[in-house]
Amino acid sequence: MEPPHYNKISQLLLDKFKEVVGESFFFDEYEVRFTYAFGGSIFNKGWVPDLILIPQNTKQVSEILNLANKNRIPVTPRGSGTSLSSGSLSPYGGIILDLSQMNEILKVDIENNLVEVEPGVICDELNETLKPYGYFFPPDPGSSCVATIGGMVANNAGGIQAFKYGVTKIYVIYLEVVLSDGRILNLGSKVLKSVSSYNIKDLFIGSEGTLGVITKIGLRIRPLPKTRKLGLFIFENVDDLKDAVLEIRRRGIVPNLLEFMDKIILKAVTEYLGGEFFDFPNGYVLLAEVDGNSTIEVDESFAVMFDIIIQKNPIYNKIAMTEEERERLILARKANLPALSRIRPNTCVEDCTIQISEFSEVIKKIEEIPKRINAKNLLVAIICHMEGNLHPTFLFNENDEQDVKDFEKAIDYLYREIIIPAGGSITGEHGIGKIKTPYLELEHDSNIIELMTQIKKFYDPNMILNPGIGKGDLRAINTPSIKRSLKNQSDSILELKCMRCGFCITCPSRINYALETYSPRGRLCLLNGLVHGDLELNDLITEVFHTCTLCGLCQTKCPAGVNTIEIFEKAREIIHEN
Ligand SMILES: Cc1cc2nc3c(=O)[nH]c(=O)nc-3n(C[C@H](O)[C@H](O)[C@H](O)COP(=O)(O)OP(=O)(O)OC[C@H]3O[C@@H](n4cnc5c(N)ncnc54)[C@H](O)[C@@H]3O)c2cc1C
């Protein structure tokens, strides 16, 4: 689906957009736009947008889209920019619609198990609000500390408790959506049952901002379980682990958490966390937890699950006896990415799904990828949510040309030779983004692709919304822009291991200035731009570095251990020298 010709934004139009959002929420400075060319994905290609608009309400979103549509200007919605598939980046330029400031929790209605939120509300913040009521919103992506509800709905995000609680879609009961021409739709209803129309609401969930901009969300919430019990089991053999999972399902046990990690990850995690507690033998890990409202009920389910697993001969098991021990075992799962990021400079988390019956065959094939494609330096580690959602994670060095070629070959091999032949899907929760389109035609036949094209054209005839999703040649990463970070410079300032996951963006100065540019991730992007000659030092950049209070919050939140304080202090020194 080729996007049409887009227009550049004229001065007259810039003025009109400024009128809509007001001067404080309109940004056309190159340095600000530059920081919006990056996000959680490794596939950053220097796609600098032409304009950043930060709407405060639905009316402004509607007016922006109406103007953009009439003038054929692309619009890419953005929450926290943590998409791992470049979903919130703008290959065709145009407007980035930063929805992070529409972040009110509008209603908590415990009687009806319902909350109403604006799209910029952050997942963990919603759950903090719900906790005193004894309720929660169950989908919990690894990025829940920064992911916005709008981004989660647009991607139909999942998480580590999806085995029992499912993905975002299950909880969305109504949506307010602005179409590309500015029309505002209210979809779904507040009641739990209704068949009074086609289910148009669900079409927007997981549509990645290509059909409309989500401006209000009604979510079902659930009472928090009162108790839970977690065990970690290590198997020598992946077939035994799979058999244990199949038997757990057959016996009707529904763990709230059922997670897999392979040998490479376990080794990386034990080395990273260290200490006696994490002195596990190496093997394939199954983390399994049951939750519920009474200790008796949970103990009984756990005992049945434990017996099933033990019969499949794990070489090691550990049960969390206290909440503290539970936290430490969960840390073994949460530390996957930082632990892996210490092995090779680059970590790319892929996302695909298979039927669980195919699990061990698929794992063995993925483990063999480096050998099959004759890639000497490439490593692949595998994480899996045991509802069949695999995250094969490729480790390589973007500064090594052969490594990059091998990495690209490996991804192609993964989808073409393993996932599609196994009857799987090319994405379970990260979306197509700007990177998976080449594989869409492998999963769906031409009739389905044609139907999807018609749906897109019906809702967005000028194709202004998030162009690039649906166009096939955006995936390759071997452009200069990706192969750059501070550590690769001979005159390196300091090592920069930033994965751009965005965990640091809830920093005080970002909250104060309401702009990515003033977040630690934004500052690191600016620094990278300066080092590589994309940007020149000016008053704006100087100000951005001096609004950092060096409080160090970002450093505590950074999974990759980026030494932000030292980097920002050094950057200030250099700025002063200049
Ligand atoms: C370390 C890490 C761990 C992760 N773990 C998980 C995981 O366990 N499960 C999972 O599902 N994902 C995971 N992700 C991916 C990502 O965090 C989620 O998809 C998240 O829901 C995106 O939220 P966001 O606010 O950052 O959205 P963005 O990245 O800003 O946007 C995501 C997509 O939604 C669109 N969009 C955003 N807001 C709107 C809106 N209001 N209206 C219409 N479209 C919109 C964007 O255009 C884009 O296509 C992880 C990411 C990282 C970096």
Side-chain angles (χ1 to χ4, degrees):
M1 202 187 338
E2 286 291 324
H5 169 75
Y6 295 113
N7 293 323
K8 282 275 153 207
I9 311 177
S10 66
Q11 186 55 50
L12 186 69
L13 201 50
L14 281 175
D15 291 341
K16 285 188 180 165
F17 283 127
K18 194 185 283 186
E19 223 172 90
V20 173
V21 290
E23 203 155 343
S24 313
F25 298 105
F26 169 101
F27 299 93
D28 61 353
E29 300 88 339
Y30 185 73
E31 296 76 14
V32 172
R33 295 188 278 118
F34 186 81
T35 59
Y36 280 82
F38 300 93
S41 166
I42 185 165
F43 300 94
N44 296 302
K45 307 226 326 174
W47 294 319
V48 181
D50 300 311
L51 183 61
I52 312 299
L53 297 176
I54 307 189
Q56 307 297 301
N57 54 49
T58 304
K59 185 168 169 282
Q60 289 181 356
V61 173
S62 163
E63 286 172 16
I64 291 166
L65 289 185
N66 183 278
L67 275 172
N69 189 47
K70 280 185 184 144
N71 293 281
R72 291 184 185 248
I73 309 292
V75 178
T76 304
R78 176 165 169 134
S80 286
T82 65
S83 164
L84 289 171
S85 55
S86 305
S88 42
L89 304 183
S90 54
Y92 296 90
I95 297 167
I96 292 273
L97 200 62
D98 177 342
L99 292 141
S100 62
Q101 299 311 302
M102 288 177 65
N103 57 6
E104 292 275 312
I105 296 176
L106 299 168
K107 193 193 293 173
V108 178
D109 177 356
I110 296 298
E111 253 181 4
N112 290 304
N113 285 11
L114 174 77
V115 289
E116 187 175 288
V117 298
E118 288 188 315
V121 168
I122 286 172
C123 180
D124 276 1
E125 288 175 8
L126 174 61
N127 276 321
E128 277 306 307
T129 304
L130 293 175
K131 215 185 208 168
Y133 297 95
Y135 275 76
F136 77 129
F137 166 61
D140 55 348
S143 53
S144 62
C145 58
V146 276
T148 63
I149 302 294
M152 287 178 67
V153 174
N155 265 21
N156 193 19
I160 61 173
Q161 298 201 79
F163 193 88
K164 174 171 179 178
Y165 292 109
V167 293
T168 303
K169 182 184 248 171
I170 296 172
Y171 299 91
V172 178
I173 64 170
Y174 61 88
L175 286 178
E176 179 185 81
V177 170
V178 184
L179 296 185
S180 60
D181 60 6
R183 270 179 298 161
I184 300 168
L185 300 185
N186 284 293
L187 301 166
S189 86
K190 287 185 178 152
V191 293
L192 289 182
K193 286 180 78 178
S194 167
V195 283
S196 66
S197 67
Y198 292 141
N199 188 349
I200 303 172
K201 169 197 55 131
D202 278 8
L203 195 54
F204 284 80
I205 304 170
S207 69
E208 302 183 55
T210 60
L211 300 181
V213 175
I214 297 158
T215 45
K216 203 184 286 172
I217 305 142
L219 292 171
R220 191 180 307 179
I221 51 174
R222 289 184 65 132
L224 272 167
K226 294 197 169 55
T227 180
R228 56 196 173 186
K229 193 160 187 177
L230 174 77
L232 178 143
F233 306 87
I234 300 178
F235 293 80
E236 210 156 44
N237 180 321
V238 72
D239 292 304
D240 291 339
L241 185 149
K242 174 189 130 184
D243 288 347
V245 170
L246 291 184
E247 188 61 15
I248 289 169
R249 292 207 319 186
R250 203 186 64 74
R251 298 274 290 275
I253 308 283
V254 187
N256 57 305
L257 187 149
L258 201 58
E259 292 283 295
F260 167 86
M261 295 184 268
D262 78 351
K263 293 178 175 177
I264 293 181
I265 297 184
L266 184 60
K267 185 165 179 292
V269 163
T270 46
E271 280 171 12
Y272 170 54
L273 296 173
E276 228 170 75
F277 187 82
F278 295 106
D279 190 17
F280 306 135
N282 202 12
Y284 298 100
V285 176
L286 184 67
L287 258 182
E289 182 175 73
V290 285
D291 69 0
N293 284 330
S294 82
T295 312
I296 298 173
E297 169 205 339
V298 167
D299 280 350
E300 267 174 16
S301 298
F302 189 86
V304 176
M305 184 174 76
F306 184 83
D307 281 349
I308 293 169
I309 296 175
I310 290 299
Q311 277 170 28
K312 303 298 171 192
N313 304 316
I315 53 172
Y316 178 86
N317 71 78
K318 187 168 201 131
I319 299 171
M321 303 310 286
T322 61
E323 193 55 29
E324 196 206 353
E325 281 192 4
R326 178 189 183 272
E327 284 306 310
R328 294 174 84 181
L329 288 183
I330 290 283
L331 189 62
R333 169 66 179 84
K334 285 195 172 159
N336 288 180
L337 279 185
L340 290 175
S341 74
R342 280 156 172 80
I343 299 181
R344 295 273 196 283
N346 298 90
T347 310
C348 177
V349 184
E350 286 296 319
D351 168 49
C352 42
T353 53
I354 51 161
Q355 285 184 302
I356 210 66
S357 54
E358 306 296 317
F359 180 72
S360 37
E361 285 314 304
V362 166
I363 293 292
K364 288 174 201 167
K365 285 182 181 162
I366 295 174
E367 286 178 330
E368 276 196 353
I369 292 177
K371 201 164 106 202
R372 293 268 166 199
I373 63 165
N374 197 20
K376 294 195 176 53
N377 219 6
L378 186 78
L379 273 181
V380 54
I382 312 163
I383 305 159
C384 183
H385 312 300
M386 288 309 284
E387 67 273 12
N389 192 174
L390 292 160
H391 294 305
T393 301
F394 294 96
L395 311 178
F396 66 105
N397 179 359
E398 67 187 5
N399 294 298
D400 182 320
E401 240 172 74
Q402 189 56 46
D403 255 26
V404 172
K405 276 190 196 145
D406 289 342
F407 164 63
E408 288 174 346
K409 228 196 262 177
I411 288 183
D412 220 43
Y413 191 92
L414 170 71
Y415 292 108
R416 287 183 199 281
E417 307 296 334
I418 303 177
I419 299 304
I420 295 295
S425 173
I426 57 172
T427 173
E429 54 186 23
H430 295 173
I432 299 293
K434 311 289 159 23
I435 62 176
K436 291 269 178 87
T437 312
Y439 307 113
L440 257 187
E441 285 169 8
L442 298 179
E443 186 175 335
H444 302 291
D445 73 29
S446 55
N447 290 323
I448 304 287
I449 302 272
E450 176 53 27
L451 199 56
M452 288 198 276
T453 305
Q454 284 175 21
I455 290 171
K456 169 70 176 167
K457 286 187 174 160
F458 177 79
Y459 283 102
D460 180 18
N462 290 336
M463 298 177 71
I464 61 159
L465 281 170
N466 210 350
I469 296 182
K471 185 174 186 305
D473 63 357
L474 299 171
R475 172 138 206 158
I477 64 157
N478 52 353
T479 62
S481 58
I482 179 72
K483 295 186 189 177
R484 301 188 317 182
S485 61
L486 295 181
K487 67 182 164 183
N488 305 320
Q489 293 294 295
S490 51
D491 58 344
S492 108
I493 296 183
L494 277 170
E495 194 183 26
L496 175 59
K497 292 170 286 188
C498 176
M499 301 186 293
R500 303 197 178 102
C501 64
F503 283 19
C504 58
I505 66 168
T506 45
C507 111
S509 65
R510 154 77 205 258
I511 291 168
N512 195 22
Y513 288 88
L515 199 61
E516 170 79 27
T517 319
Y518 289 81
S519 70
R521 180 173 66 179
R523 290 191 180 98
L524 291 173
C525 287
L526 288 179
L527 206 48
N528 222 329
L530 285 174
V531 168
H532 291 279
D534 291 327
L535 300 174
E536 280 188 16
L537 190 59
N538 61 11
D539 288 350
L540 177 59
I541 294 180
T542 306
E543 189 211 297
V544 171
F545 278 99
H546 285 82
T547 51
C548 168
T549 58
L550 299 175
C551 70
L553 191 65
C554 47
Q555 205 160 311
T556 64
K557 291 192 170 177
C558 177
V562 176
N563 196 343
T564 39
I565 296 211
E566 212 179 323
I567 291 176
F568 294 149
E569 275 180 341
K570 186 88 182 172
R572 284 187 193 180
E573 256 175 50
I574 295 171
I575 287 172
H576 284 292
E577 278 164 21
N578 282 278

